[in-house]
Amino acid sequence: QVQLVESGGGLVQAGGSLRLSCAASGRTISPYAMGWFRQAPGKEREFVAAISWSGGSTYYSDSVKGRFTISRDDPKNAVYLQMNSLKPEDTAVYSCATKVGSIGYNLEQSYDTWGQGTQVTVSS
């Protein structure tokens, strides 16, 4: 069973950048597509970005496309989310997850193991 731990969150001003990390242990993530989701207070968890098992394909929600970049480093057993041009509406707890289902990358039910999340707060 793989365990996931996110880090890199914090408080940043609008227009700033953060780089989130998702460190995996217990098992290699190389066979898995990986995703990032976020949940703001009072809202449902929503898809942010995903990357295929090979790293050759990436997927983004419309709200972050062009500002966020997902990447993976399988030798380090890690996935990253580079977030630029941050907006107050990006404020949320960000979690990474392993994709095990065959349905869409943007669907929460396609993901299995989840990390505990890291808080990102963007001030205006």
Side-chain angles (χ1 to χ4, degrees):
Q1 183 75 7
V2 64
Q3 293 83 42
L4 303 173
V5 178
E6 301 91 340
S7 62
L11 174 64
V12 64
Q13 288 189 333
S17 298
L18 284 173
R19 187 191 192 215
L20 305 185
S21 298
C22 172
S25 62
R27 190 173 178 178
T28 177
I29 62 168
S30 59
Y32 300 103
M34 299 292 294
W36 283 95
F37 285 72
R38 67 186 182 187
Q39 187 167 22
K43 295 187 177 181
E44 292 186 353
R45 185 154 56 186
E46 65 173 356
F47 170 75
V48 175
I51 187 166
S52 63
W53 68 270
S54 68
S57 297
T58 55
Y59 309 86
Y60 298 95
S61 68
D62 288 343
S63 62
V64 307
K65 197 173 297 182
R67 300 188 297 124
F68 291 11
T69 303
I70 188 172
S71 62
R72 65 189 298 155
D73 187 338
D74 286 349
K76 293 185 177 180
N77 221 25
V79 179
Y80 306 99
L81 186 68
Q82 177 66 43
M83 306 187 298
N84 298 329
S85 303
L86 282 161
K87 304 175 181 180
E89 51 263 43
D90 294 319
T91 295
V93 174
Y94 285 71
S95 300
C96 62
T98 54
K99 187 179 186 295
V100 295
S102 59
I103 56 177
Y105 281 90
N106 61 328
L107 298 178
E108 187 176 339
Q109 56 265 44
S110 190
Y111 292 81
D112 184 1
T113 301
W114 295 81
Q116 85 290 346
T118 185
Q119 176 70 48
V120 171
T121 303
V122 184
S123 63
S124 57

